Amino acid sequence: MAKLAFNLMLEEPRETYIVTSAALIVGRIDCIQAEPVTDQQWAWGMHLDIGVAPFRRGGNAGSADEAASKMREAWEDWKVWAGLQDVEGAGGTTTAAVQMPVKSLT
């Protein structure tokens, strides 16, 4: 669950990526102003309605790489907000797991 995948949508008129982590749809990145404009502009958005309150982040970026970087930052923020931490599983795969507080039995 921890790694993000950026999946190019082929049927869109401009570059559009659906961002997923395993089967979870995390958000999307869209080219909102394509060439021949000198500087492309990109929009990114994350909307997760998991739990009591939705977690939403988004904004604009000057490049697809910058938008992806901002999406990764928001993903890390969401994992903290959700109380998750990355753990390495069998075969070196990374997943997000609930971080439980340590309680003393004495």
Side-chain angles (χ1 to χ4, degrees), residues 44 46 55 57 70-84:
W44 67 276
M46 171 187 246
F55 184 91
R57 298 289 185 274
K70 289 182 178 190
M71 181 70 77
R72 286 186 188 98
E73 287 175 24
W75 176 243
E76 293 302 318
D77 290 346
W78 177 78
K79 288 189 292 184
V80 170
W81 176 84
L84 301 174

Side-chain angles (χ1 to χ4, degrees), residues 5-86:
F6 299 86
N7 308 289
L8 179 62
M9 302 298 294
L10 298 176
E11 297 178 8
E12 296 292 322
R14 294 193 178 128
E15 278 186 77
T16 297
Y17 297 87
I18 300 299
V19 182
T20 60
S21 178
L24 179 65
I25 297 173
V26 174
R28 67 186 281 155
I29 296 174
D30 295 290
C31 180
I32 56 176
Q33 188 169 2
E35 297 176 10
V37 177
T38 306
D39 294 324
Q40 291 184 334
Q41 292 205 342
W42 295 79
W44 67 276
M46 171 187 246
H47 181 118
L48 294 169
D49 280 337
I50 300 171
V52 177
F55 184 91
R56 296 183 180 120
R57 298 289 185 274
N60 294 328
S63 71
D65 288 339
E66 182 184 349
S69 177
K70 289 182 178 190
M71 181 70 77
R72 286 186 188 98
E73 287 175 24
W75 176 243
E76 293 302 318
D77 290 346
W78 177 78
K79 288 189 292 184
V80 170
W81 176 84
L84 301 174
Q85 67 179 1
D86 291 338

